[in-house]
Amino acid sequence: MYMACKFRKILNIVSVCLVIILTGCGKIENEVSPESSVESDMDKIIFYATILHNYQEEKYTDSDIKYYFVVQNDGTVWTMENNCNYEFTRKFDSRDSSAWELADHLENIGSLSAEDTQKLSEYISRIDVTSEDYDSLRDDGSNPDVIDSFYYTYKCPVSDVEKWFTIIEAGSDSGDFYKTYDENALSAVRLIESSQLFVDWKEKINRIN
């Protein structure tokens, strides 16, 4: 009788230990590490914008930093920075996914709505890369003699362009240096500019000095 009770106690202890071990393992397997939460496939990017402050503007002391606003095909928005890292620039421009490993201050700041994400994807899928465009150097021969507070770009991937398709490159005060006249591309820009995530990000960046 004594041995039977002792055996039951041992079985109970073993059972409790097994439950704890299995439960603990389950928690470890389901835990998402910060690294794995970063979706780093360049093929998932459908749009991105950049801001670079002008070194001639005394109010800014970060003119060596380029700020990125990146939208993925599920609507997720990431922001990141590049502080004079040529390797990052080379890899990002060539759509090399390993660029994410070199980004500074990588942060997920939220997502576009499902409706806006779908609209953005549709706009980009309809871009005609042969559309007319404006190039200030080509069309006007020179850029205006204006000191811009910052420079910005809007770009996206399209099937016929190996790297990125440029929608707009501009200065905050001098206006467009380059701009496609493709209406779908410009609609994509308007959608992003009306997003509160973008508005907040832009205001935050331009407050930095």
Side-chain angles (χ1 to χ4, degrees):
M1 183 71 175
Y2 169 76
M3 291 299 294
C5 290
K6 187 173 183 180
F7 183 69
R8 287 195 200 96
K9 286 181 180 179
I10 293 172
L11 279 179
N12 288 336
I13 292 171
V14 171
S15 298
V16 170
C17 289
L18 284 173
V19 168
I20 293 173
I21 291 171
L22 291 173
T23 303
C25 289
K27 287 181 180 178
I28 292 172
E29 289 172 355
N30 292 329
E31 186 175 291
V32 178
S33 67
E35 291 80 8
S36 65
S37 66
V38 177
E39 188 60 75
S40 58
D41 187 348
M42 280 287 180
D43 290 337
K44 294 184 180 296
I45 296 176
I46 57 174
F47 187 98
Y48 82 90
T50 66
I51 290 178
L52 177 67
H53 290 140
N54 190 343
Y55 72 92
Q56 293 176 289
E57 278 281 0
E58 294 182 358
K59 64 182 177 180
Y60 294 124
T61 59
D62 60 340
S63 58
D64 52 349
I65 299 175
K66 180 177 279 190
Y67 301 93
Y68 287 73
F69 181 95
V70 180
V71 184
Q72 296 186 309
N73 57 12
D74 62 353
T76 304
V77 177
W78 292 88
T79 60
M80 62 187 77
E81 299 173 14
N82 176 28
N83 190 351
C84 295
N85 187 332
Y86 170 76
E87 189 67 8
F88 170 85
T89 301
R90 184 184 67 81
K91 289 186 174 184
F92 194 95
D93 288 351
S94 62
R95 295 169 65 178
D96 182 339
S97 294
S98 63
W100 289 74
E101 300 169 9
L102 304 173
D104 296 323
H105 300 105
L106 184 65
E107 182 182 2
N108 177 353
I109 63 169
S111 299
L112 300 180
S113 68
E115 181 181 1
D116 282 349
T117 302
Q118 182 178 352
K119 284 182 180 178
L120 182 62
S121 297
E122 289 175 355
Y123 289 144
I124 292 169
S125 69
R126 296 171 184 164
I127 290 176
D128 179 3
V129 298
T130 66
S131 295
E132 294 184 2
D133 56 20
Y134 166 75
D135 185 316
S136 60
L137 288 176
R138 180 194 67 203
D139 300 335
D140 298 334
S142 65
N143 288 320
D145 187 18
V146 176
I147 297 179
D148 292 294
S149 295
F150 60 90
Y151 305 102
Y152 60 94
T153 67
Y154 297 114
K155 299 189 179 187
C156 66
V158 292
S159 58
D160 295 333
V161 177
E162 182 180 352
K163 296 181 180 180
W164 301 99
F165 177 76
T166 300
I167 303 173
I168 294 175
E169 290 181 339
S172 57
D173 302 293
S174 58
D176 300 327
F177 305 142
Y178 175 87
K179 178 180 181 179
T180 179
Y181 290 133
D182 182 88
E183 187 53 37
N184 283 296
L186 297 177
S187 293
V189 168
R190 287 192 289 268
L191 185 152
I192 292 297
E193 288 183 329
S194 66
S195 162
Q196 194 60 48
L197 285 173
F198 181 82
V199 171
D200 292 344
W201 171 77
K202 185 176 178 180
E203 289 180 353
K204 176 184 175 182
I205 296 305
N206 290 332
R207 281 197 304 267
I208 295 175
N209 54 50

